[in-house]
Amino acid sequence: MKLTTNSQEYLKRLESAHKLLISKKVSFQTLKEIQTLIKGINPKIDKLLISCSKTFQTLKQVQKGQVVELSEKAIKKLPAKSEKQKKRKKALLAFFKFWRQLRSEVKRVTKTYKSTTESKNPSTVKKLKNILNIGKIFTLAKGPFGIVTILATATVGIKLLLSHLNNSAVEVIIKNNNCPPITPISRSISLPGLKLPSQTITNGTQAIAKLPPLKLTIDARQAGIIKVTALKFSTNFKVENTDKNILLNGQPIIGQLTYIDLGQQKQHQLVISCQ
């Protein structure tokens, strides 16, 4: 996946922030630079930035100097005899905890974002997964930075999704075996990867439908009703004649609960037989 100019800039910001976060010495100026770089990217990062800022302000009140040296072992060895020493040690430990969490979260987000560029020619499916990963990073992001990224991600994702569904559509051959004419659906349905037969399927003839490579659940256990579920959406079809026998890839559907992954093969066969 080729990153856009904005995306490349965002990645640079994350990497720059991480370099500052691995430093053993931290000043209030360092914290401000990190906030400028990555504020608004991710809600968890924003919360940790606030926690770091608050605990640093507390730390400034109980110690001299504007620079904090971060070492968990060194902090734990600090004396805590006087009330002032106890407050300083407590403030240091609190700041170090949030600083470490912020560093870890920035590293995670950076790694996820960089993974989108690992393959020079990733498949469409991998591209979609990469886009979804980026979308998760920027979920609930605030400010213009987050909004622009979400819009860019959504636009690219929709284009890739439409292309993937159209290019990977599978064929379902529908055969009429001794049944009354099967009429096409009267209303027009326009969905990527979906093309239903427009002609009536008379006895002894067949037609081809094109469907997206989805996983389907077909529930035909209730008499006269076939319920088809895909992507959490369900549609009921009425079966008027109870003497019909419907086979999908040679397996009976009527009276059964059937699971099928249309993407496992390029062509399927649906045979509708009547007595």
Side-chain angles (χ1 to χ4, degrees):
M1 176 182 174
K2 185 179 179 180
L3 292 177
T4 64
T5 303
N6 282 342
S7 299
Q8 290 172 344
E9 177 63 26
Y10 300 159
L11 184 55
K12 287 179 182 178
R13 291 187 186 187
L14 287 164
E15 290 175 332
S16 297
H18 188 259
K19 287 179 181 178
L20 293 172
L21 284 161
I22 60 177
S23 174
K24 295 294 182 181
K25 293 184 178 181
V26 182
S27 66
F28 190 67
Q29 183 60 35
T30 306
L31 191 54
K32 286 179 67 176
E33 289 178 15
I34 293 171
Q35 288 175 327
T36 302
L37 284 167
I38 58 176
K39 185 178 180 182
I41 292 180
N42 175 278
K44 187 173 181 180
I45 286 178
D46 285 348
K47 288 180 180 179
L48 289 169
L49 284 170
I50 292 171
S51 298
C52 285
S53 181
K54 285 182 177 179
T55 51
F56 196 90
Q57 291 288 358
T58 302
L59 186 58
K60 284 172 63 179
Q61 297 173 6
V62 296
Q63 78 157 24
K64 294 180 181 180
Q66 297 295 317
V67 178
V68 176
E69 293 193 19
L70 295 178
S71 169
E72 190 173 16
K73 289 182 179 180
I75 294 172
K76 288 183 176 181
K77 288 180 180 179
L78 288 174
K81 294 179 180 179
S82 67
E83 193 63 30
K84 187 176 181 179
Q85 287 175 339
K86 288 179 182 178
K87 287 182 179 180
R88 177 171 178 262
K89 188 172 184 177
K90 182 179 179 181
L92 273 168
L93 287 171
F95 176 73
F96 181 73
K97 180 186 75 171
F98 290 121
W99 181 265
R100 186 169 53 186
Q101 290 176 2
L102 177 62
R103 183 173 60 207
S104 177
E105 184 63 15
V106 168
K107 183 179 179 180
R108 183 191 70 80
V109 172
T110 304
K111 184 179 179 181
T112 303
Y113 210 95
K114 285 181 72 174
S115 68
T116 63
T117 61
E118 286 180 353
S119 175
K120 292 183 179 179
N121 297 297
S123 65
T124 302
V125 174
K126 187 173 181 179
K127 287 181 182 179
L128 289 171
K129 288 181 179 178
N130 289 336
I131 286 171
L132 290 174
N133 283 336
I134 295 177
K136 290 176 183 178
I137 292 172
F138 290 94
T139 300
L140 302 178
K142 298 177 182 178
F145 178 27
I147 292 170
V148 169
T149 305
I150 290 171
L151 290 176
T153 300
T155 302
V156 176
I158 289 170
K159 288 181 179 179
L160 276 172
L161 180 60
L162 295 179
S163 174
H164 173 63
L165 291 176
N166 283 318
N167 293 335
S168 58
V170 300
E171 290 186 348
V172 178
I173 300 173
I174 305 171
K175 292 185 177 181
N176 183 338
N177 182 19
N178 201 35
C179 289
I182 302 170
T183 55
I185 296 175
S186 58
R187 65 181 185 277
S188 176
I189 299 177
S190 180
L191 290 173
L194 176 65
K195 186 177 180 181
L196 300 176
S198 57
Q199 74 273 26
T200 299
I201 308 172
T202 57
N203 179 25
T205 65
Q206 66 183 40
I208 296 177
K210 289 190 175 181
L211 300 175
L214 302 174
K215 293 181 180 180
L216 304 181
T217 300
I218 304 171
D219 189 350
R221 293 173 295 182
Q222 182 180 347
I225 297 290
I226 297 177
K227 181 180 180 181
V228 180
T229 302
L231 297 177
K232 296 184 180 180
F233 294 97
S234 297
T235 303
N236 290 341
F237 298 92
K238 290 184 179 180
V239 181
E240 296 178 357
N241 297 332
T242 56
D243 60 344
K244 284 183 179 177
N245 182 30
I246 303 176
L247 300 179
L248 178 59
N249 296 333
Q251 299 298 318
I253 289 177
I254 299 299
Q256 307 291 326
L257 179 62
T258 305
Y259 301 96
I260 181 170
D261 183 354
L262 293 178
Q264 287 188 341
Q265 56 193 72
K266 294 297 292 183
Q267 193 175 80
H268 302 267
Q269 191 174 78
L270 184 68
V271 179
I272 305 171
S273 301
C274 299
Q275 296 180 357

